[in-house]
Amino acid sequence: MEMYAALQGIWWLLLGVLLIGLATMVGMDMGVGTILRYVGRNDAERRVALNIIGPHWDGNQVWFILGGGAVFAAFPLIYATAFSGFYVVMLLLLWSMILRPLGFEYRSKLPSTSWRNAWDWALFVSGLVPMVVFGAAFGNLFHGVPFHFSWNLTSTYTGSFLGLLNPFAILCGLLSAALSVYMGAVTVMNGATDAIYERARMLARIGAVLAIVLFAVGGFWVHGMDGYVRVAGPDAGVPQTPLQQHVALTSGAWLANFHTHPLLWAVPALGFAGMLLGLLAAGARRSHLAWWLGALAWVGVIGTAGAALFPFLLPSSSDPAQSLTVWNASSSQHTLLWMTGFAAVFVPLVLWYTSWAFYVMRGKVHAADVVADEHAY
């Protein structure tokens, strides 16, 4: 295989790894924000839930930065097209992400009940909305995004914000939110005791059941959906643009990769196994095992989407022939080579730092300790 094609494939895989890291780590924090008002029935209990993720939530943002940076540098056409087309969605996401750290930092600064309740709802919104948007973005990829290019590769987006909220995208958004709630709940189980632990256990099981059902419905839905097939164009590893290919729409085409390579069916099976075994582990009070099984479920869910869409990264519903793929949307060979060197150093470093932080900050959080600590969230 040509080196350029190999590097493009490596960065497609690395992008998947970064998205899985983002969904698992940031989704866990957002899940705690979403369930905060249920697992905590009074102020002290809610502070316990916040302080369980308090030492980690800001460090986990590195996955968000890495994911955005990888798209910007490795697939600049995707970055330019998606960010300009999803302008309103990106603003919604940005405002939610700004609101969340404010909630962590300011919620417990004043004793007023109305003040703290308002920030609790802010954490709920800033936890739920980004995860729904994250899943809905994947859902829209399967339908295609309404954009096209001019002769000089200037992209034009012809859709609307409401058009992105189609039924399949909403289904994917709910799946993302359900997995986030599951991860948030098992995280609270890891650090809580007594009543908070029991409420989180109940939510973990509800989240897992909802995720299993939604993932199954999504798979059945995709089975009959029109998918994209690249029928002609330059070969992989050859410098090219989205103006040089032909793409056809075919019913059930999103499952073509699975039919061609049956081993890929192991990926959605991994997603179902992670969610089902996670449900059982949460029920058996094995919260740490349930957390890792939730991460495995994210691998299966995002991996299934990636395997189905490959080689497409951003299909165009306005002009399918101008869809962006791994082969026509990536940076130059030189850029990808340098990025691979940096990733070989910094991705293991981020994994080591994250593991070390969780090891050092392990243990249970008690309401009495939180109330007595003036620096606690």
Side-chain angles (χ1 to χ4, degrees):
M1 180 184 289
E2 294 289 336
M3 177 180 287
Y4 189 28
L7 288 171
Q8 289 172 314
I10 287 170
W11 272 97
W12 175 77
L13 287 172
L14 277 175
L15 181 60
V17 169
L18 294 175
L19 288 175
I20 290 166
L22 171 67
T24 303
M25 304 306 294
V26 180
M28 168 187 71
D29 298 341
M30 291 182 172
V32 174
T34 304
I35 65 176
L36 182 63
R37 289 190 64 84
Y38 177 78
V39 292
R41 297 294 175 83
N42 55 52
D43 181 63
E45 291 181 347
R46 288 171 191 162
R47 291 187 70 186
V48 167
L50 287 177
N51 281 279
I52 289 172
I53 56 169
H56 309 294
W57 73 267
D58 48 355
N60 289 339
Q61 303 304 306
V62 73
W63 291 99
F64 186 76
I65 297 168
L66 285 176
V71 175
F72 174 76
F75 300 103
L77 264 181
I78 297 290
Y79 189 90
T81 306
F83 276 60
S84 61
F86 296 156
Y87 186 70
V88 176
V89 176
M90 291 300 175
L91 277 180
L92 188 64
L93 192 62
L94 183 62
W95 289 334
S96 298
M97 299 290 285
I98 290 174
L99 191 61
R100 201 162 65 98
L102 294 178
F104 276 105
E105 296 295 338
Y106 290 117
R107 180 195 178 279
S108 302
K109 298 298 184 187
L110 296 177
S112 164
T113 301
S114 57
W115 170 269
R116 296 189 174 188
N117 281 337
W119 283 116
D120 288 345
W121 284 112
L123 287 166
F124 168 79
V125 171
S126 60
L128 181 64
V129 169
M131 292 312 298
V132 171
V133 169
F134 182 75
F138 273 97
N140 276 290
L141 296 183
F142 283 86
H143 272 306
V145 179
F147 72 91
H148 61 270
F149 290 102
S150 63
W151 63 272
N152 61 351
L153 288 183
T154 300
S155 65
T156 301
Y157 179 76
T158 57
S160 65
F161 172 70
L162 293 178
L164 298 175
L165 301 177
N166 57 75
F168 185 73
I170 292 173
L171 175 90
C172 294
L174 293 177
L175 170 60
S176 173
L179 277 174
S180 173
V181 165
Y182 170 84
M183 292 299 290
V186 294
T187 302
V188 171
M189 287 175 67
N190 284 336
T193 59
D194 304 326
I196 310 174
Y197 180 97
E198 293 301 329
R199 292 181 205 125
R201 179 166 166 259
M202 174 66 72
L203 277 176
R205 289 185 289 177
I206 292 173
V209 170
L210 283 175
I212 292 169
V213 172
L214 291 168
F215 192 43
V217 172
F220 180 77
W221 200 326
V222 168
H223 181 266
M225 186 184 292
D226 284 347
Y228 289 55
V229 180
R230 192 171 180 271
V231 294
D235 293 332
V238 175
Q240 55 190 280
T241 75
L243 305 179
Q244 299 169 289
Q245 64 184 0
H246 296 286
V247 173
L249 280 176
T250 306
S251 178
W254 288 135
L255 298 183
N257 288 336
F258 294 93
H259 295 315
T260 305
H261 306 285
L263 194 59
L264 287 176
W265 288 110
V267 182
L270 199 66
F272 278 117
M275 289 181 269
L276 182 59
L277 294 176
L279 170 66
L280 298 176
R285 303 176 187 279
R286 302 285 300 275
S287 59
H288 287 89
L289 176 61
W291 190 95
W292 283 106
L293 289 167
L296 193 68
W298 270 119
V299 172
V301 170
I302 294 180
T304 299
L309 291 165
F310 186 85
F312 293 95
L313 291 174
L314 194 63
S316 168
S317 58
S318 302
D319 187 347
Q322 297 188 0
S323 296
L324 294 175
T325 69
V326 176
W327 316 125
N328 65 26
S330 65
S331 294
S332 68
Q333 177 177 324
H334 191 70
T335 301
L336 294 180
L337 191 59
W338 272 100
M339 288 179 61
T340 305
F342 286 120
V345 174
F346 288 107
V347 171
L349 191 63
V350 170
L351 291 173
W352 172 81
Y353 152 77
T354 303
S355 304
W356 176 80
F358 273 84
Y359 176 76
V360 170
M361 303 293 179
R362 68 189 184 280
K364 297 289 184 181
V365 178
H366 301 280
D369 297 332
V370 171
V371 172
D373 185 356
E374 61 179 9
H375 298 296
Y377 287 110

